[in-house]
């Protein structure tokens, strides 16, 4: 085997190794792209879920506000009136002590 033949054989071996490595990297690249795509789909689903949960929360918050406005308004007025009477009573007591 001459020097040129050895060089050529070495070159062939290196080219085959490069082709094999290229194929391995190509396969790995495809797997990684698949993983990225799956993660993006998961992110989109989670974002949609978060958005739906936020909408549900906003709806519940609005319903609670309406509920308080309708049913608890009289109770709130009564409590506020009682607080005002208590404050007036305290002011009267403090005024008498001077």
């Amino acid at each position: 085997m001459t020097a040129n033949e050895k060089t050529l054989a070495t070159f062939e071996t290196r080219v085959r190794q490069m082709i094999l490595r290229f194929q391995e990297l190509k396969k790995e690249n495809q797997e990684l792209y698949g993983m990225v795509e799956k993660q993006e789909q998961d992110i989109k689903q989670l974002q949609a879920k978060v958005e739906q949960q936020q909408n549900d929360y906003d709806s519940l918050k609005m319903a609670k506000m309406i509920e308080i406005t309708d049913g608890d308004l009289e109770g709130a007025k009564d409590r506020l009136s009682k607080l005002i009477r208590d404050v007036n009573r305290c002011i009267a007591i403090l005024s008498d002590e001077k």
Side-chain angles (χ1 to χ4, degrees):
M1 194 176 238
T2 65
N4 284 341
E5 289 174 341
K6 282 185 180 182
T7 305
L8 190 57
T10 304
F11 181 73
E12 274 184 54
T13 304
R14 301 272 188 228
V15 169
R16 284 188 186 131
Q17 288 174 343
M18 282 181 31
I19 290 171
L20 289 174
R21 182 70 179 141
F22 171 76
Q23 290 171 345
E24 289 172 4
L25 290 173
K26 188 175 176 182
K27 183 179 177 185
E28 182 182 352
N29 193 24
Q30 288 173 343
E31 291 172 0
L32 291 173
Y33 271 110
M35 288 172 57
V36 167
E37 187 175 323
K38 184 183 181 306
Q39 294 296 325
E40 286 175 350
Q41 289 174 353
D42 290 346
I43 288 171
K44 286 180 184 177
Q45 289 175 347
L46 290 172
Q47 285 174 335
K49 189 174 181 179
V50 165
E51 187 176 325
Q52 181 62 42
Q53 294 291 332
Q54 184 65 41
N55 290 339
D56 292 347
Y57 173 75
D58 291 341
S59 297
L60 287 173
K61 190 166 69 171
M62 182 64 70
K64 188 68 175 171
M65 285 173 44
I66 290 171
E67 179 182 313
I68 289 172
T69 302
D70 290 344
D72 209 24
L73 189 59
E74 287 300 316
K77 284 181 181 178
D78 292 340
R79 286 190 303 270
L80 187 58
S81 295
K82 185 180 179 298
L83 287 172
I84 290 172
R85 284 192 302 270
D86 290 344
V87 168
N88 286 337
R89 199 174 311 131
C90 289
I91 290 172
I93 291 170
L94 290 173
S95 296
D96 291 341
E97 289 181 4
K98 288 185 178 183

